[in-house]
Amino acid sequence: MKKGIIFDLDQTLVDSSIAEPYRGKNWGKVNELIPSFILYDGFEAVFDFIRINEIKVAVVSTAVSNYVNNVLNHFSIPHDVIIAYHDVRHRKPNPEAFVKALDYLELNTQEAISFGDRGIDIQASLSAGVDSVACLWGTKEKDILLSLKPTFVVNRPIDPMVSVIPPSIVRSRTVVRFYKCKPYAKRF
């Protein structure tokens, strides 16, 4: 089982598309819109699994940290570290943020897996040597994601659980349900 997860935020964990016209221009307006964002269906159960199994979580985003913090707090998204826009000199697709996240979480590349909806997420993950999961539910870049040959491709937030939960560590009915669901993940 992986000991850590690196999540992208926007369009991976939450549908924040309503704020897209204001991103990078008016962060005050973007923050006002956070209550209108939607946590993608299935992530509450994913977060329960993360908490139960004490999996370390980094959120790596090209957005500013104040915004990222506000979204994570609003939706009670578990996390150990945030690597945001101003925390790195080189942003995704450069792997700097992923390397920094791994260092903070005290994990090696084989102990982590990353989830993202954009080509830059997959490129950064692969460049860092971390298994990558292309998340198709919020993406506008499906063809780009597939062309990058991510480790996994998933259609729903619950699907990644199949790839990271070995039967030997299943501890709760919720997790058993995840493990027994039909996997939609495709391994390349």
Side-chain angles (χ1 to χ4, degrees):
M1 179 173 98
K2 299 292 186 177
K3 295 179 181 179
I5 297 175
I6 300 172
F7 282 120
D8 174 52
L9 179 62
D10 295 295
Q11 304 313 119
T12 299
L13 296 176
V14 296
D15 181 348
S16 59
S17 56
I18 190 171
E20 191 60 35
Y22 308 103
R23 287 177 58 91
K25 300 173 192 138
N26 185 344
W27 285 107
K29 179 66 174 176
V30 172
N31 280 306
E32 286 176 20
L33 291 170
I34 291 171
S36 302
F37 292 4
I38 299 167
L39 181 67
Y40 284 110
D41 191 37
F43 269 115
E44 287 295 335
V46 171
F47 299 152
D48 286 344
F49 172 79
I50 287 169
R51 289 180 188 103
I52 289 167
N53 291 283
E54 299 176 357
I55 294 172
K56 297 177 180 181
V57 177
V59 176
V60 173
S61 177
T62 56
V64 295
S65 59
N66 179 38
Y67 161 76
V68 175
N69 241 337
N70 290 341
V71 173
L72 297 177
N73 290 335
H74 180 79
F75 290 102
S76 299
I77 297 172
H79 60 285
D80 297 289
V81 65
I82 297 168
I83 309 293
Y85 183 86
H86 293 101
D87 297 320
V88 291
R89 292 182 63 177
H90 307 285
R91 287 156 200 88
K92 298 184 269 185
N94 186 290
E96 180 183 349
F98 285 67
V99 171
K100 194 170 188 174
L102 290 171
D103 286 345
Y104 183 87
L105 297 174
E106 299 178 342
L107 298 174
N108 67 48
T109 58
Q110 299 305 307
E111 295 174 313
I113 190 165
S114 76
F115 296 82
D117 70 299
R118 297 179 59 206
I120 62 172
D121 300 318
I122 304 306
Q123 288 173 312
S125 184
L126 294 174
S127 293
V130 175
D131 284 346
S132 61
V133 179
C135 304
L136 301 184
W137 52 83
T139 191
K140 295 179 184 174
E141 300 181 7
K142 181 179 179 180
D143 292 337
I144 293 170
L145 288 172
L146 297 177
S147 73
L148 293 170
K149 301 200 181 329
T151 314
F152 299 95
V153 174
V154 292
N155 293 302
R156 304 174 304 165
I158 200 169
D159 294 341
M161 294 300 96
V162 174
S163 64
V164 298
I165 307 174
S168 61
I169 61 90
V170 174
R171 296 182 184 164
S172 72
R173 290 179 163 242
T174 303
V175 177
V176 170
R177 187 181 70 225
F178 286 150
Y179 191 77
K180 291 183 178 177
C181 74
K182 181 179 178 185
Y184 288 85
K186 178 181 176 186
R187 181 135 175 103
F188 286 93

